[in-house]
Amino acid sequence: MIERRKLSVALATVALATGLLTAAGPASAKPTGPARQAAAECGVRSDGKLWCGNRVGAKGYEHRSYGSAVRGPVNSSFSWFACWGPGDPHGGGNNIWYWTKLDNGQWGNVPAVDVYTSVDPAPGLRQC
């Protein structure tokens, strides 16, 4: 009977832990659907730009900091980025930010957590 109780407690603990991890999700969740396909195509092309999937609605900032002014959005799910640079840490677990022309025509810095690269900075992309 004690063994059955121990097993029940162990299973309940595993179920609770699994449920909490699933509900919370990772800080930089992997993309799904069309974004997943775009992530698979992520890389630096012959034009020297990083072409990669990104989070729709990501914000571009004046500086590499969430505390700086928002310059505009990235509304598409696949975009290009001219270069990268270090800045404030973000939810992606690093401090890499990508520089791009935003959908409103302004230039801005997008945190790497919103760009679906497999590693940051993206290999082959120049630093700026």
Side-chain angles (χ1 to χ4, degrees):
M1 185 160 192
I2 292 175
E3 293 301 316
R4 182 182 285 176
R5 183 177 170 110
K6 284 182 182 178
L7 180 60
S8 295
V9 170
L11 289 174
T13 302
V14 169
L16 179 61
T18 302
L20 289 174
L21 288 174
T22 303
S28 57
K30 296 280 186 195
T32 59
R36 177 182 232 174
Q37 180 182 0
E41 299 174 22
C42 188
V44 177
R45 294 186 182 171
S46 60
D47 61 3
K49 297 176 185 172
L50 170 66
W51 290 83
C52 198
N54 56 266
R55 185 177 66 79
V56 174
K59 294 178 183 174
Y61 294 85
E62 181 178 6
H63 303 290
R64 297 173 190 144
S65 169
Y66 288 113
S68 67
V70 174
R71 291 250 175 112
V74 178
N75 294 321
S76 59
S77 62
F78 190 78
S79 304
W80 60 266
F81 302 87
C83 56
W84 68 273
D88 287 351
H90 51 71
N94 61 52
N95 68 342
I96 303 301
W97 292 65
Y98 292 100
W99 181 247
T100 191
K101 193 168 190 178
L102 305 166
D103 290 339
N104 63 1
Q106 300 262 351
W107 285 86
N109 294 283
V110 178
V113 68
D114 292 331
V115 181
Y116 300 145
T117 53
S118 59
V119 63
D120 296 305
L125 185 64
R126 71 181 181 89
Q127 185 175 356
C128 55

